[in-house]
Amino acid sequence: IQLLKPTDDLKIEYIFGTCLVVDIRWLFNMLISLSEGNDNKEKWCDPGRLLSAVRSFRNKFELFIQSGKIEKTSYDILLEEGKYFIKQIRCDGSHIFHPKVWVVEYSDSENTRFFKVIICSRNAVFGATLESYVQLEGSFNEKNKSQNHNLVQFIKNCYEKVKEDEYIHFPDGF
């Protein structure tokens, strides 16, 4: 969650995330932490805070996961709100959707866009395991747009597969 937080001079415009598994409590804790700017693992229990965070991120966040990999909790009512954020992807054959990529778009007071790309080793769940990650940061630059082609294509493919409700087909040897 700390990796996604903006600095004081920036605000989050959009978050795109991918992982295999999501703990719905972790998801809502993340949204509340990002909307309030602090961290507490029990915040998702507060209905007012939860509703405020859901409203503030409803059109600004999407998480793509392997179909059927939402960790069930005794708070299944949260799953209803999760439909605004969680997009499930089915893969063909024995393949699974397992990337852990986050792309965050920020803006400043002058509406300059900044981006952070994070590739990490951990799913969207609570845990005490050590996480390793690579983080890239930069601003929008029309001149260097072609260098981001593979990342942009990956994101487009995620959206297309959810819309079409198709399987992701991996090439031989992938």
Side-chain angles (χ1 to χ4, degrees), residues 9 12 21 59 72 95 113 148 173:
D9 58 330
I12 294 174
V21 179
N59 297 314
K72 298 292 183 185
H95 295 102
R113 294 169 27 185
N148 300 316

Side-chain angles (χ1 to χ4, degrees), residues 119-161:
I119 302 167
C120 53
S121 62
R122 192 167 172 170
N123 286 303
V125 296
F126 290 115
T129 57
L130 183 63
E131 178 171 19
S132 59
Y133 66 92
V134 173
Q135 177 176 303
L136 305 169
E137 297 181 15
S139 58
F140 181 76
N141 183 331
E142 189 70 38
K143 182 174 75 173
N144 295 328
K145 196 163 80 170
S146 64
Q147 294 176 351
N148 300 316
H149 174 75
N150 291 339
L151 177 62
V152 170
Q153 193 58 48
F154 168 72
I155 293 169
K156 285 180 179 179
N157 287 343
C158 287
Y159 283 103
E160 287 172 11
K161 297 308 173 192

Side-chain angles (χ1 to χ4, degrees), residues 28-132:
F28 288 118
N29 180 65
M30 179 200 74
L31 294 177
I32 293 169
S33 293
L34 292 175
S35 68
E36 294 181 358
N38 53 26
D39 194 23
N40 177 336
K41 288 184 180 176
E42 299 303 318
K43 286 191 278 195
W44 59 269
C45 297
D46 182 325
R49 290 172 132 172
L50 176 59
L51 184 58
S52 176
V54 166
R55 286 179 177 161
S56 67
F57 279 95
R58 187 164 280 166
N59 297 314
K60 296 167 69 170
F61 171 62
E62 290 179 291
L63 178 63
F64 293 80
I65 66 167
Q66 171 71 34
S67 182
K69 292 293 186 176
I70 299 173
E71 287 192 3
K72 298 292 183 185
T73 71
S74 57
Y75 302 93
D76 287 337
I77 194 157
L78 294 178
L79 293 176
E80 181 63 24
E81 290 298 327
K83 72 181 180 185
Y84 296 106
F85 308 107
I86 301 171
K87 311 297 181 195
Q88 298 188 62
I89 293 179
R90 293 181 293 147
C91 297
D92 60 340
S94 61
H95 295 102
I96 58 173
F97 183 76
H98 202 248
K100 295 171 186 83
V101 176
W102 295 84
V103 179
V104 187
E105 178 182 358
Y106 305 94
S107 67
D108 64 12
S109 60
E110 297 173 10
N111 211 24
T112 304
R113 294 169 27 185
F114 300 92
F115 295 88
K116 186 184 292 186
V117 177
I118 304 164
I119 302 167
C120 53
S121 62
R122 192 167 172 170
N123 286 303
V125 296
F126 290 115
T129 57
L130 183 63
E131 178 171 19
S132 59

